[in-house]
Amino acid sequence: MIPRIHKRGGATIGLIRYLYGPGSHEEHIDPHLVAAFDPLTPDPGRDPQATYGQLQRLLDQPVDALPAGRRPEKHVWHLSVRASPEDPILSDDDWAAIARRMVAATGIAPDSDDAACRWAAVRHAEDHIHIIATLVREDGRRPRLHNEARRAQAEARAIEADYGLRQVTPGDGTAAKRPTSAERHKADRRGQQRTPREELREAVRRSVAGTVSEEEFFDRLASAGLLIRRRVAPSGDTLGYTVALPGDRNAKGEPVFYSGSKLAPDLSLPRIRERWTPASDDPTQQSALPQATGPASARRRTTTAAWQALLAIDHGDDNVIAAQIAATGEVLDALAQTSAAHTRHELHTAATAFERASRSHIRAARGHDHALRQAARDLVHSGPALGRGEDGATTAMALDMLIFLAVATAHWHAEKQHAQQAEAAHRAAEHLRTAYQAAAEHPMAILHQRGRRLAPSLMRYHSATLRDALPDLADRILAEPGWPVLAATLAEAQAEGHSPAALLAQAATRRELDTAERMSDVLTWRLRRMAGLPADPQNSLSQRARANRAAISPERVMQTGIRFANSSPRRR
């Protein structure tokens, strides 16, 4: 149940005509009253003798009774109440009861108040009603409407529980504007799953991901095929912008333009410009220019940047954390538009879900998100990944870290009581897990076979190493199906000159592991990244070299293990 208080107006007759009219695209069906302040209120929708003027004069009577100088200029109050798409169709009697509860909760017509404001509830679609009221009480006073939007939301939550409807997570006013009923009906008539507003919001989000200048941003909008209008000051500076889909036209055949702020609060030009401002107190800031990189390298950089963001979420202040979370949304947008076919749908859905988690009332300290924004830029400029070989495996490596980042985002929002954002981050994490399974299937299968082929003495050696390095987690890791994968990686890292024990200890201290669904997978990707091993095991050293390493005697393995334990692991 979604209540929305609209801007106040000054013409009662204008709103009545809209509510009883056909709508912008003839989407209003059988408009009629379901409830009103007086049961005898005329209904122009069902009574042929009733007129719009009669209803207007009845509602405006307390306003007109005041001296002209005391009448409020904006006296028309308008509330729409919409059911969720999955809710059952409610009867007129149900909507009448809901309307009475809403006017009571908001202060328009409190229960047992005979001098309350006059109001009427009109239904012209199955899934919602509109309530019109005039803001002068019968006694000539003004209603007390302090926090009426918050009270309407609270009443909606109670109505959901009473009617067994979908429980909507409470919001905080930072969500993107929902498509209007007219926009949804227009999309339905055209057989489109999404409205132009939703299509444009995604296109603008993708266009801004990793950008470093206004020129680049508008170039990307144009490359996405959008129609663009800039609002330019006399000085020549751009003050704002609007965008439209070429095929989205109004009744006059003109493109329907939306401003950035109407798509989402953080897509206005001033808010986008904040992303391009470096943090003045951060000496590590570098010029964010595109680097010569391929998809695999870009994904490795993304993994490193996500790890740095996790540290910031663990130890940073709220404004820095908000910046990291917002930039994570850019990384997911960039990853979705450059992903391989077998992961594209889930990554697209994850990015769409995380969009809600990227905004809250805590303002992002832009500039501290440089590493993630640079990673988003690298992903875009590196081009599409084919999903095989190194770029497919590094996609799995990056997703493994991004899952942690999405979960950390959800926990932070939950602590701040940002219910919608926390729920959105959890949804994004689930889609990232599904995408990870698709990306990791091939490289993990190869490593699993390699681990199964290790000599029993080597498996015992690496098992003992694991127990020494991670005594509290070893039993769980050894019981996981992915243990042979981790063992194969430990053997490969050792052959490259690293100490398996030191790598395991270092990987475990980087961040907690016990919340991971598969600790062996997490450790595998961490070790491969720390040791500089190819993400795709097929890109490792030659088969002959691997065979030679596999032939090392257990005694030699134990000797090298002792030697490595006394040395630090080689850094990347």
Side-chain angles (χ1 to χ4, degrees):
M1 189 67 61
I2 304 166
R4 179 189 173 198
I5 296 177
H6 302 257
K7 291 183 179 179
R8 296 181 185 180
T12 306
I13 191 66
L15 181 55
I16 291 173
R17 285 174 176 158
Y18 167 74
L19 297 179
Y20 279 95
S24 304
H25 303 281
E26 298 186 355
E27 71 276 11
H28 295 177
I29 301 172
D30 185 25
H32 60 279
L33 280 183
V34 293
F37 76 101
D38 184 344
L40 300 179
T41 300
D43 180 6
R46 294 286 174 86
D47 183 356
Q49 304 303 317
T51 65
Y52 299 161
Q54 287 177 325
L55 180 56
Q56 173 260 318
R57 287 189 293 274
L58 186 64
L59 292 174
D60 277 348
Q61 192 173 48
V63 180
D64 295 336
L66 292 176
R70 291 184 54 199
R71 297 172 189 170
E73 182 179 356
K74 300 288 186 180
H75 70 278
V76 181
W77 186 85
H78 178 199
L79 169 72
S80 60
V81 186
R82 184 180 303 278
S84 296
E86 57 269 41
D87 286 337
I89 297 175
L90 301 175
S91 67
D92 280 355
D93 289 341
D94 290 334
W95 280 118
I98 290 170
R100 294 187 185 96
R101 291 178 64 165
M102 280 295 177
V103 294
T106 55
I108 291 294
D111 291 334
S112 303
D113 187 346
D114 295 334
C117 295
R118 297 188 176 190
W119 60 275
V122 177
R123 183 182 188 184
H124 56 210
E126 291 181 340
D127 63 348
H128 69 280
I129 59 171
H130 292 261
I131 301 174
I132 178 175
T134 48
L135 298 179
V136 175
R137 291 164 46 87
E138 297 283 1
D139 56 14
R141 295 186 293 115
R142 302 288 294 276
R144 299 182 63 181
L145 299 179
H146 180 65
N147 282 335
E148 82 262 38
R150 183 175 297 178
R151 284 182 278 158
Q153 291 289 347
E155 188 63 26
R157 303 292 82 77
I159 291 170
E160 290 163 357
D162 293 344
Y163 283 80
L165 305 177
R166 179 198 168 203
Q167 295 285 305
V168 176
T169 306
D172 60 0
T174 61
K177 186 177 179 181
R178 292 175 177 269
T180 65
S181 177
E183 291 169 351
R184 283 197 302 273
H185 283 294
K186 184 177 180 180
D188 289 341
R189 287 198 308 273
R190 295 182 175 183
Q192 299 168 337
Q193 293 186 343
R194 296 194 298 173
T195 65
R197 183 191 298 273
E198 293 166 314
E199 295 279 358
L200 287 168
R201 181 161 62 242
E202 179 181 297
V204 174
R205 277 199 346 253
R206 290 189 172 191
S207 296
V208 79
T211 56
V212 296
S213 68
E214 190 172 300
E215 180 181 2
E216 182 184 12
F217 169 57
F218 284 112
D219 283 346
R220 285 207 204 164
L221 289 178
S223 297
L226 305 185
L227 303 179
I228 309 165
R229 287 179 180 172
R230 298 198 201 193
R231 187 162 57 90
V232 181
S235 63
D237 295 331
T238 302
L239 300 177
Y241 73 99
T242 57
V243 288
L245 294 175
D248 183 30
R249 307 263 168 175
N250 59 21
K252 298 180 180 179
E254 302 167 335
V256 180
F257 281 88
Y258 295 81
S259 66
S261 61
K262 294 298 184 182
L263 298 176
D266 57 345
L267 293 182
S268 67
L269 189 57
R271 293 291 300 276
I272 289 174
R273 282 175 175 149
E274 293 175 4
R275 310 181 190 213
W276 304 326
T277 303
S280 58
D281 58 345
D282 188 351
T284 66
Q285 293 293 299
Q286 303 290 331
S287 176
L289 297 175
Q291 302 181 20
T293 180
S297 298
R299 280 153 176 74
R300 279 187 175 270
R301 290 193 180 96
T302 298
T303 306
T304 301
W307 164 243
Q308 294 173 356
L310 272 171
L311 291 179
I313 292 177
D314 286 343
H315 306 294
D317 61 39
D318 285 344
N319 302 103
V320 172
I321 293 172
Q324 300 294 340
I325 292 173
T328 299
E330 294 190 47
V331 169
L332 293 179
D333 282 325
L335 197 59
Q337 62 186 299
T338 60
S339 60
H342 65 300
T343 58
R344 189 174 304 147
H345 173 73
E346 290 297 336
L347 288 175
H348 175 271
T349 309
T352 301
F354 197 85
E355 184 261 350
R356 181 65 190 98
S358 64
R359 289 187 306 274
S360 69
H361 283 300
I362 298 176
R363 198 63 174 265
R366 291 296 190 172
H368 296 280
D369 54 359
H370 171 81
L372 278 176
R373 296 206 71 247
Q374 182 66 50
R377 183 181 184 80
D378 288 346
L379 288 168
V380 171
H381 283 273
S382 70
L386 298 178
R388 294 291 182 268
E390 185 71 3
D391 68 17
T394 51
T395 297
M397 179 184 288
L399 289 175
D400 176 74
M401 189 64 72
L402 287 168
I403 292 168
F404 273 100
L405 191 50
V407 172
T409 296
H411 290 168
W412 181 77
H413 277 308
E415 289 176 357
K416 300 298 177 184
Q417 297 184 343
H418 302 161
Q420 286 188 354
Q421 291 91 331
E423 180 183 336
H426 276 303
R427 287 201 314 272
E430 288 304 312
H431 290 291
L432 289 173
R433 289 189 180 100
T434 304
Y436 167 79
Q437 293 300 324
E441 181 179 6
H442 181 66
M444 284 298 191
I446 295 174
L447 284 171
H448 192 275
Q449 293 175 2
R450 192 173 297 173
R452 287 297 186 189
R453 290 197 299 265
L454 287 176
S457 56
L458 283 175
M459 289 295 286
R460 288 194 297 271
Y461 167 70
H462 290 305
S463 175
T465 301
L466 177 67
R467 290 189 182 280
D468 289 341
L470 306 174
D472 296 333
L473 303 175
D475 286 338
R476 176 178 164 184
I477 295 172
L478 290 169
E480 289 183 351
W483 159 240
V485 176
L486 178 57
T489 295
L490 289 170
E492 191 176 343
Q494 186 176 41
E496 288 292 318
H498 297 274
S499 163
L503 282 176
L504 281 170
Q506 187 179 355
T509 57
R510 290 199 161 193
R511 202 168 191 273
E512 50 82 21
L513 286 168
D514 53 3
T515 60
E517 290 188 354
R518 300 184 182 183
M519 288 191 289
S520 53
D521 281 23
V522 174
L523 286 171
T524 294
W525 294 120
R526 287 187 187 180
L527 264 60
R528 299 193 76 82
R529 185 166 62 89
M530 291 162 51
L533 301 176
D536 179 15
Q538 289 184 323
N539 287 349
S540 301
L541 297 178
S542 68
Q543 294 284 347
R544 180 179 178 183
R546 288 200 298 269
N548 288 338
R549 289 197 297 272
I552 297 175
S553 67
E555 293 78 10
R556 176 76 179 278
V557 169
M558 294 301 293
Q559 291 172 359
T560 55
I562 295 171
R563 173 167 55 84
F564 286 141
N566 295 324
S567 62
S568 59
R570 186 170 63 187
R571 296 184 180 275
R572 291 181 58 185

